[in-house]
Amino acid sequence: MEKQVKRIGVLTSGGDAPGMNAAVRAVVRTAVSQGIECVGIRRGWNGLINSDFVPLNASSVSHIINKGGTMLYTARSLEFMDRPGREKALATCRLLGLDGIVAIGGDGTFRGALALSRQAAEAGLTLQTVGIPATIDNDIGCSHYTIGFDTACNTAIECIDKLRDTMQSHERCSVVEVMGRHAGYLALYVGISVGATAVLIPERPLDFEQDIVEKIRRARLAGSTHYMIVVAEGAGSAVDIAKRIHEEVGIDPRVTVLGHIQRGGSPSARDRETASRMGYRAVLSLMEGRGNRVVVTQDGSITDMDMEEALQMVKPFPMERYQILGSLSITQS
């Protein structure tokens, strides 16, 4: 295999996700094993603009595979969205002699990578970019799975299991809001896993009477005295849902917004393993001279695809899982 690069950069951008460190580690160690130097760009694209970098080697990334967050830090950069900002970033690339960049994040991170590569080409500079999808929302259209999703689900499930203990003791209704941005993947996966009475997702219009009130009634008739409602943040406010439940059903719900706790914590085995495979694939893509790619999971396999094509893809929502939930939630688990 002919090596096309001598030095690459790696960065994390956008919201952090458990497993990002494992991806950074895989990129660095794969590069080093192939005789390629690796530079860590701190604080995402903003760091590339401000020359915020650190040389990385195999020892630099020791003992991070089990840690949440990202050792390279992350940030969003409005300046990078404009050509003058990207020109500053290219100046750093020239200074460091970068042949390629591995960008770990979401759609916004990939759009930035593609724009930077194109602007570099216009300036006569060859800069190949490869994206690795990492977000707890699992909402990147080109990849069946994104790094961080499994850990975030496990965190939410653990919290809800503990909430159920006290809700059952007091015979109450709990309304739990989980993250997910504009997508309901996290809420639906968690809702099925905890045996929720109802799950609200942005992909499905809310029928309050059928989706919540009737399900609470059926659960009560089946003998349940406590109810668990899981709300995706993109489907509405848990506080508003709880207030309406109180008004229409007459019970007094307790609201829990899990928030950013879902982004933290030691990554699960699935996230560590997937991140490691994706990091390895990203470096191989650069070595093969194939830039402007996104590493993706497709039917359990790790591959890569054209970044522009990837950004145009829309992931079909697994609505059949919502139907499964409806069948399983006739009575509370």
Side-chain angles (χ1 to χ4, degrees):
M1 185 182 296
E2 182 182 355
K3 291 187 291 187
Q4 303 294 320
V5 294
K6 295 181 180 179
R7 185 179 297 115
I8 65 174
V10 58
L11 60 84
T12 53
S13 179
D16 63 304
M20 278 185 164
N21 277 328
V24 170
R25 173 182 179 272
V27 168
V28 174
R29 292 201 167 178
T30 303
V32 169
S33 72
Q34 299 299 321
I36 300 172
E37 295 181 40
C38 200
V39 178
I41 310 299
R42 294 184 292 200
R43 299 173 180 87
W45 299 120
N46 193 57
L48 199 60
I49 290 174
N50 295 302
S51 296
D52 186 0
F53 61 87
V54 57
L56 296 175
N57 55 39
S59 297
S60 303
V61 293
S62 295
H63 311 301
I64 67 169
I65 194 171
N66 61 314
K67 297 185 182 300
T70 163
M71 65 166 289
L72 293 177
Y73 309 109
T74 183
R76 290 180 170 86
S77 175
L78 294 177
E79 186 178 5
F80 188 79
M81 297 175 67
D82 298 323
R83 288 186 65 87
R86 291 194 295 272
E87 186 55 46
K88 293 180 183 179
L90 287 176
T92 300
C93 293
R94 293 188 186 95
L95 171 67
L96 298 176
L98 298 183
D99 302 303
I101 293 177
V102 177
I104 305 167
D107 284 340
T109 301
F110 304 156
R111 290 190 182 93
L114 186 59
L116 182 68
S117 181
R118 287 175 172 172
Q119 193 165 325
E122 293 171 4
L125 176 66
T126 300
L127 182 70
Q128 304 283 18
T129 61
V130 177
I132 295 178
T135 167
I136 69 168
D137 304 328
N138 201 31
D139 61 349
I140 295 179
C142 60
S143 186
H144 291 172
Y145 183 80
T146 62
I147 297 168
F149 179 71
D150 187 61
T151 307
C153 286
N154 289 335
T155 298
I157 289 167
E158 181 181 0
C159 292
I160 291 173
D161 284 346
K162 292 179 178 179
L163 278 171
R164 171 175 279 123
D165 291 342
T166 185
M167 290 299 105
Q168 186 172 13
S169 298
H170 291 271
E171 299 182 309
R172 282 178 176 157
C173 174
S174 182
V175 182
V176 182
E177 183 178 310
V178 300
M179 297 181 76
R181 202 168 56 166
H182 305 300
Y185 297 98
L186 188 62
L188 184 56
Y189 195 100
V190 168
I192 292 175
S193 300
V194 300
T197 307
V199 177
L200 309 185
I201 54 175
E203 291 82 1
R204 187 176 186 276
L206 173 63
D207 182 331
F208 197 86
E209 175 65 27
Q210 291 300 315
D211 295 339
I212 297 181
V213 175
E214 184 59 27
K215 288 185 176 181
I216 290 176
R217 287 192 186 119
R218 289 190 315 194
R220 183 68 187 92
L221 289 170
S224 291
T225 57
H226 65 286
Y227 319 98
M228 184 66 64
I229 313 297
V230 176
V231 182
E233 63 179 344
S237 164
V239 174
D240 293 340
I241 296 297
K243 181 179 179 181
R244 191 168 174 185
I245 290 174
H246 177 69
E247 292 172 349
E248 299 196 18
V249 184
I251 58 179
D252 189 19
R254 293 293 184 267
V255 175
T256 303
V257 179
L258 294 183
H260 286 76
I261 191 174
Q262 295 159 96
R263 284 189 179 174
S266 181
S268 67
R270 182 179 186 182
D271 282 328
R272 297 183 197 193
E273 194 268 351
T274 302
S276 298
R277 293 167 66 201
M278 284 186 164
Y280 174 82
R281 180 73 183 217
V283 175
L284 260 60
S285 179
L286 290 174
M287 290 176 60
E288 293 167 357
R290 295 183 299 108
N292 297 342
R293 311 287 291 180
V294 177
V295 179
V296 300
T297 63
Q298 297 286 352
D299 298 322
S301 299
I302 302 293
T303 185
D304 59 78
M305 63 184 304
D306 179 76
M307 189 175 288
E308 185 172 5
E309 179 185 351
L311 287 169
Q312 295 173 352
M313 295 179 68
V314 178
K315 180 184 292 187
F317 189 81
M319 197 57 71
E320 70 279 1
R321 292 189 181 182
Y322 193 88
Q323 297 169 354
I324 292 172
L325 175 73
S327 297
L328 299 180
S329 62
I330 293 176
T331 60
Q332 185 93 355
S333 70

